[in-house]
Amino acid sequence: MHTLFSTAESEDATIPCPYVENAVIQLNFRPEGQPTSLKLDVRFVKVFKPFTMSEAAVVELVPGLRPVVEGFLPRQFVVKFSDLRHMRNELPCMRDNARERADAPWTFGFRSFFLSMLRGFQGDHLRRLIWAAEMDHWEEVIGCHHREVAAYRALEPLQGRSIPKFFGTATYVPPQNGMDDALLSTVPCFFMEYVEGASLEEFELVNGPGTDPSGALRLTDEDALRASHAIIEVARSVRNLGVSNNDIAAYNILLRNLDPLDPVMIDFGYAKTDGGARQDVCDVRGLLATLKWSLSSPYRARSETPNPLTGFKFMNNLLEIAPSHREAFFDEIPEELRGIHTWQPARWKLKPSVLRTSDKDQEWGLDEKLVKLIRAPR
């Protein structure tokens, strides 16, 4: 079938991908903190499903190189490549005008089209528009690489514990089917620790540990609550080191060795290193609530601090008109236990099952005057 980018059947085929199991490629590796680079031959052991902006694989060094990198690299590690040729370009322009590129990696036909435009920016408006969209995609892919490397460096105190260990950067130059351009043909990548474990989305909340006959990972409610505490602590640590992670998702948080108390956060391609964000910890809380692992407490100063004159009147009235919120977080206090007050006592208290989280997460980074205003009893 001929397409916008091909005139023959052979041009419809995708270009060969070098990132396949058992393949061997050569990388130019620069260990973190070292002034010189090393040429390493690595063999692919396991290839992950391509991410939106990268490809990742578990690799091992070919025999004979171990003494060269002793102290730098473990036996197996992860390499994350930023090679747009082997990922889809799902920008709106591509979806609207070049569906074959939005749905698949580069074909031989698209490669020919791209190189012809690279050598001379010419052709009709549609061809120029598509080529510009591919360049925009390239810039975003490379940008994700640089942001992730910067995030790992900023989070160095957490490496090997709350995030994977970062070993250094590398480059890969495809021997064929490249882009015929020195800059574009050099694929940036980096090496990081391979974390044995599973992501949060792979677990099922059930009664009893272990795995069921289908092979699904099981986690008890108690362990899920313990894991939630640990995950929130990791999110706080990342935030406190000035990194804001804009891609918080169940597949980006692992439990190392399936241990509920050993969570690891991964994938910082959309992270910023110019200051942590108050919303990040709140987003983690929301994720855990969506997964039904835990329900973090709402802003506790409002629900547990009485007004000197009216007591809990404001909070009681608020919960009266918000039954879904009330039923999710609160239990009603029996009237005989509310005490005798000249003001209105609290009618509800936080459920025992609610994860007690700190108000400081929601106040983090706010102006002190605003915090006082928020805390002020109603």
Side-chain angles (χ1 to χ4, degrees):
M1 179 183 68
H2 297 174
T3 68
L4 179 65
F5 310 113
S6 66
T7 57
E9 293 290 339
S10 59
E11 293 187 318
D12 291 336
T14 56
I15 63 174
C17 180
Y19 317 127
V20 293
E21 291 183 10
N22 295 318
V24 176
I25 64 172
Q26 186 174 84
L27 301 174
N28 193 36
F29 169 58
R30 183 171 183 176
E32 185 69 359
Q34 299 298 314
T36 57
S37 299
L38 305 168
K39 289 190 181 299
L40 303 178
D41 290 333
V42 299
R43 178 180 291 106
F44 288 86
V45 176
K46 177 182 179 181
V47 179
F48 298 103
K49 181 181 178 181
F51 300 117
T52 307
M53 292 291 172
S54 62
E55 301 92 354
V58 180
V59 303
E60 62 184 7
L61 297 173
V62 299
L65 285 176
R66 170 55 51 192
V68 179
V69 292
E70 196 70 49
F72 290 140
L73 295 171
R75 186 178 66 85
Q76 292 186 347
F77 51 93
V78 170
V79 181
K80 200 167 184 180
F81 299 89
S82 297
D83 189 345
L84 87 164
R85 300 173 307 145
H86 303 291
M87 61 182 73
R88 295 178 297 178
N89 182 344
E90 297 181 347
L91 290 176
C93 174
M94 287 298 188
R95 291 199 301 267
D96 295 340
N97 300 296
R99 194 74 217 187
E100 58 267 44
R101 177 64 184 102
D103 293 339
W106 272 22
T107 61
F108 284 100
F110 188 85
R111 178 180 181 274
S112 298
F113 157 77
F114 183 86
L115 295 180
S116 67
M117 295 295 289
L118 186 64
R119 298 185 187 109
F121 191 62
Q122 56 189 354
D124 58 32
H125 173 72
L126 179 59
R127 290 173 65 85
R128 293 197 300 270
L129 185 68
I130 292 172
W131 188 83
E134 188 70 4
M135 288 303 299
D136 288 343
H137 182 50
W138 178 82
E139 290 182 0
E140 181 60 20
V141 168
I142 299 303
C144 283
H145 166 80
H146 290 305
R147 286 191 293 269
E148 188 155 22
V149 169
Y152 272 104
R153 287 171 173 162
L155 298 174
E156 193 275 335
L158 304 182
Q159 288 182 24
R161 182 166 48 92
S162 300
I163 67 170
K165 178 70 176 175
F166 177 77
F167 299 119
T169 57
T171 54
Y172 168 59
V173 179
Q176 57 185 355
N177 302 316
M179 300 186 194
D180 288 2
D181 178 271
L183 176 62
L184 298 180
S185 284
T186 302
V187 177
C189 49
F190 64 87
F191 294 7
M192 65 178 180
E193 172 191 7
Y194 175 44
V195 178
E196 293 277 5
S199 66
L200 302 193
E201 67 176 357
E202 297 177 66
F203 288 90
E204 292 182 3
L205 292 183
V206 291
N207 292 323
T211 59
D212 64 19
S214 68
L217 298 171
R218 306 172 72 182
L219 201 68
T220 63
D221 290 340
E222 181 182 358
D223 280 342
L225 188 61
R226 295 166 65 218
S228 297
H229 277 288
I231 291 166
I232 290 173
E233 283 300 322
V234 170
R236 287 190 184 119
S237 299
V238 170
R239 177 203 64 190
N240 292 345
L241 287 171
V243 175
S244 173
N245 186 3
N246 295 317
D247 193 14
I248 292 171
Y251 49 79
N252 285 336
I253 301 175
L254 312 178
L255 295 186
R256 189 192 300 268
N257 297 321
L258 309 183
D259 184 351
L261 297 182
D262 198 359
V264 179
M265 194 171 285
I266 63 171
D267 200 352
F268 295 93
Y270 291 101
K272 297 179 181 178
T273 54
D274 55 358
R278 178 173 60 94
Q279 187 60 35
D280 285 359
V281 177
C282 297
D283 288 346
V284 169
R285 292 177 177 181
L287 170 64
L288 295 170
T290 301
L291 295 173
K292 300 187 182 335
W293 283 36
S294 67
L295 187 63
S296 293
S297 56
Y299 195 65
R300 296 173 66 184
R302 292 175 183 164
S303 59
E304 298 179 336
T305 305
N307 182 288
L309 298 177
T310 60
F312 289 93
K313 181 179 180 179
F314 175 82
M315 195 63 193
N316 288 339
N317 292 340
L318 189 64
L319 292 176
E320 285 282 3
I321 61 175
S324 60
H325 182 80
R326 184 181 71 228
E327 291 168 7
F329 291 98
F330 293 87
D331 285 327
E332 187 168 9
I333 301 174
E335 190 168 354
E336 64 272 15
L337 298 180
R338 296 177 192 171
I340 300 174
H341 300 275
T342 57
W343 55 355
Q344 188 175 122
R347 288 186 57 192
W348 288 277
K349 62 180 179 180
L350 288 175
K351 292 176 179 288
S353 60
V354 171
L355 181 64
R356 264 62 173 177
T357 43
S358 173
D359 284 349
K360 291 183 179 180
D361 289 329
Q362 300 185 56
E363 298 168 356
W364 195 86
L366 296 180
D367 181 83
E368 186 176 346
K369 292 182 179 179
L370 181 57
V371 172
K372 288 183 178 179
L373 180 64
I374 294 173
R375 284 186 177 183
R378 299 298 197 272

